Amino acid sequence: MFRIVAFIFLILIGSISAFAQEVEMTLDSAKVANDSLVTLKNGKVVNIKSYSARFNPRKALLYSAILPGAGQVYNKKYWKVPLVYGGFVILGSFAAAYNSLYNKYRHELIGVVADPNFPTSKGYTEAQLRTVVDTYRRQRDFFIIINGFWYLLQLVDAHVDAHLKDFDLNPQLKLSLRPDVQQNGLTGRTNGFAITLTF
């Protein structure tokens, strides 16, 4: 299996070819070079520095730290706010459900330890109740930790998204994977895949 995966990987790496085309942007009032500090946005010339200054990554991080989802609003990614709060609601509801089960069986365990004839809801013994209590406590703690990771993830998302606001993405950028046949005088005909990057 490893040899097959390695062989496919070598074929893919060996047949990579990237082609680029140069594009010169011309405007009515000025000619803009490729490495200039202006970009074309909605038919207007916008200075890249002024565009990227509108989205400060530290502000986005601070806003998300104070109020989860506020960094996404600051970055104008409004569709992410329901995802952020949906994650908190789902993880919080699981943690609350496991916490209520933990408290219920913990109360029964305390009652069985104090009085061996204490009635339990499912007729569990003391050893079974200890196992059930430990399981529900572990599950509750797991979902609380995952909720903390979800909080950190939304912080990272807001910070990275603000950083990527000044990333100039060409609308003609295209990556394609297609079968390819190459003819070489030394090795002959070679079959494989070509990864083509067009910009």
Side-chain angles (χ1 to χ4, degrees):
M1 181 68 182
F2 176 74
R3 289 181 183 178
I4 294 172
V5 173
F7 179 71
I8 292 172
F9 180 73
L10 288 175
I11 288 175
L12 287 175
I13 295 299
S15 63
I16 290 178
S17 61
F19 302 99
Q21 56 185 356
E22 292 185 17
V23 177
E24 182 181 332
M25 294 190 312
T26 57
L27 300 175
D28 296 338
S29 61
K31 276 195 165 187
V32 180
N34 288 340
D35 60 347
S36 179
L37 295 176
V38 293
T39 184
L40 189 63
K41 181 177 190 309
N42 298 332
K44 298 177 183 176
V45 177
V46 179
N47 193 339
I48 288 177
K49 286 185 180 177
S50 68
Y51 181 71
S52 63
R54 286 187 267 174
F55 300 100
N56 187 352
R58 288 184 182 177
K59 278 187 182 178
L61 184 68
L62 179 67
Y63 292 159
S64 278
I66 293 172
L67 179 66
Q72 283 76 11
V73 171
Y74 173 76
N75 291 331
K76 298 188 184 203
K77 300 285 182 160
Y78 305 109
W79 63 272
K80 291 183 179 180
V81 176
L83 297 176
V84 169
Y85 283 104
F88 283 126
V89 167
I90 290 170
L91 295 171
S93 64
F94 274 111
Y98 282 119
N99 187 47
S100 68
L101 290 170
Y102 165 74
N103 287 330
K104 172 187 171 185
Y105 287 110
R106 183 175 158 260
H107 173 70
E108 289 184 9
L109 177 63
I110 292 171
V112 167
V113 169
D115 179 18
N117 295 325
F118 185 82
T120 60
S121 60
K122 294 191 177 179
Y124 287 145
T125 64
E126 181 181 343
Q128 290 172 329
L129 280 173
R130 286 185 190 278
T131 304
V132 169
V133 166
D134 286 342
T135 302
Y136 285 136
R137 181 186 47 80
R138 192 177 316 114
Q139 292 295 329
R140 179 203 60 188
D141 294 346
F142 172 75
F143 279 103
I144 289 172
I145 291 169
I146 295 296
N147 212 345
F149 280 128
W150 186 253
Y151 175 77
L152 293 176
L153 183 66
Q154 65 92 23
L155 286 175
V156 169
D157 174 65
H159 185 73
V160 169
D161 198 20
H163 265 295
L164 292 178
K165 284 294 185 181
D166 61 348
F167 181 71
D168 185 25
L169 185 62
N170 189 340
Q172 297 175 350
L173 183 67
K174 186 170 84 172
L175 181 71
S176 61
L177 176 69
R178 59 183 174 79
D180 190 34
V181 178
Q182 293 183 352
Q183 187 70 29
N184 190 341
L186 186 61
T187 60
R189 188 171 165 179
T190 307
N191 298 326
F193 290 95
I195 298 175
T196 307
L197 178 65
T198 310
F199 55 95

